[in-house]
Amino acid sequence: RERPDLGIGRDDVEVRGGRVQVKVHSLGAVDAPASRVALLDAAGRVLATTTVPALAAPLDLKPRAATVSLALPKGASLTGCRVLIDPDAAVTEITRRNNEVRVR
């Protein structure tokens, strides 16, 4: 009840050209601090990261989200890739179950 919660779903990850667009939602009871999103390859290696700005808690039940963009390295394959919110587990969240989505 007193933690932030960031989350993504399948519909929140979209590949556009050489970029992966990720819509990160604030779902918790308190504001979420700035965090990071990482694009990981099938072996778990980081291909790209970006910062997610701080997000207010949806206390008025209106959605709060930020869309960030990850550049896909030249020649990288998206097969088996996944997007992970807060890869360093720096934010103590309600749950981390909604922090990872396979790209394809």
Side-chain angles (χ1 to χ4, degrees):
R1 291 184 283 196
E2 298 177 15
R3 294 182 183 176
D5 189 25
L6 296 167
I8 53 176
R10 288 183 188 174
D11 294 339
D12 297 320
V13 177
E14 185 176 337
V15 178
R16 290 185 183 179
R19 304 193 74 74
V20 178
Q21 305 287 330
V22 182
K23 186 174 184 180
V24 179
H25 300 269
S26 176
L27 306 167
V30 299
D31 296 348
S35 59
R36 289 186 329 125
V37 169
L39 175 64
L40 307 173
D41 69 9
R45 291 180 298 251
V46 176
L47 297 176
T49 63
T50 193
T51 302
V52 178
L55 291 168
L59 300 178
D60 58 0
L61 302 180
K62 293 183 181 173
R64 301 290 195 279
T67 300
V68 297
S69 181
L70 297 154
L72 185 62
K74 201 170 209 164
S77 170
L78 286 174
T79 302
C81 283
R82 55 197 166 107
V83 172
L84 179 62
I85 298 173
D86 190 27
D88 302 316
V91 179
T92 303
E93 298 184 64
I94 293 171
T95 182
R96 295 189 55 81
R97 291 182 183 163
N98 56 359
N99 284 15
E100 186 175 330
V101 168
R102 291 225 176 262
V103 175
R104 291 189 179 179

